[in-house]
Amino acid sequence: FGIQQAINDAREAKRALLFPAGTYIISDTLRCFRWRLWNPVSGKPCPTRFCAYETHVLVGSTLGTTRPVIKLAAIAPSFDDAETPRPMIAFRQFAATDAQGNAPMEPTLPLEAPPSFQDDTASLFGEELRGIDFDTSGHAGAAGVYFPAAQESSVEDVTIEATGSYAGFWGLPGRDMGGANIEVHG
């Protein structure tokens, strides 16, 4: 709950979230979600360029000789089934499909769309993940990072230890973006 709340607070405050060196144990997907809500005047989702532009910027500290590592707990059963893979962290944007999409709504599962919303990866701009490592080891259904973002988004200096796991990365930013110095082991 603490890491997820820090991610939400940083996005709402339009600030980067700094992870000091250390190991952070999680047992559920970290959600970097955004919503394009229904505009009752136009009868469609808010245009991307006019919506509240609250991006997620997650950065690992470069001080010292160790790096921040986000690691799955030894017991994390929702990450153990390769038939229903699940990411450790998911960057997503949802666009409203009808007037019921007038407030952010969390999906039940991290890769589903909530009711009255659909995926909007083509407009997921400005997301950043830099200098943080992930460890999915030993969880057959785990993926390290789900990041199907678009313009102005980047993944830099990220290493994923994925031995015995589903995947290291599941999607990377598309056009007008960057991905540099990324590694997956396993």
Side-chain angles (χ1 to χ4, degrees):
F1 177 76
I3 298 172
Q4 185 62 62
Q5 190 61 53
I7 289 171
N8 296 347
D9 291 348
R11 177 187 52 84
E12 290 171 14
K14 297 181 171 96
R15 301 281 190 252
L17 178 58
L18 177 68
F19 283 79
T23 301
Y24 301 84
I25 306 295
I26 64 169
S27 58
D28 198 3
T29 301
L30 298 174
R31 299 170 183 226
C32 296
F33 292 173
R34 294 172 23 185
W35 294 264
R36 289 179 49 219
L37 302 178
W38 190 258
N39 182 329
V41 175
S42 69
K44 56 186 175 184
C46 172
T48 301
R49 65 184 179 276
F50 298 118
C51 292
Y53 199 63
E54 298 173 344
T55 63
H56 298 92
V57 177
L58 282 59
V59 180
S61 173
T62 58
L63 300 175
T65 58
T66 60
R67 295 166 49 97
V69 177
I70 298 176
K71 180 179 176 66
L72 274 176
I75 299 174
S78 59
F79 293 90
D80 290 337
D81 183 1
E83 297 297 317
T84 55
R86 185 180 185 109
M88 290 179 65
I89 187 167
F91 289 79
R92 299 190 65 202
Q93 178 164 279
F94 305 106
T97 57
D98 58 42
Q100 299 304 307
N102 59 10
M105 181 182 295
E106 290 279 333
T108 304
L109 296 173
L111 296 183
E112 291 181 346
S116 298
F117 288 91
Q118 65 185 6
D119 273 315
D120 187 23
T121 59
S123 297
L124 184 53
F125 303 148
E127 302 292 289
E128 293 182 41
L129 178 62
R130 183 173 57 247
I132 302 171
D133 296 336
F134 293 83
D135 188 343
T136 66
S137 295
H139 294 278
V145 176
Y146 182 84
F147 202 107
Q151 301 171 111
E152 303 165 6
S153 296
S154 65
V155 177
E156 303 169 41
D157 300 321
V158 173
T159 299
I160 300 173
E161 182 58 53
T163 301
S165 299
Y166 180 79
F169 287 97
W170 191 348
L172 285 168
R175 67 175 190 238
D176 298 327
M177 62 67 189
N181 195 28
I182 57 177
E183 296 179 32
V184 176
H185 303 161

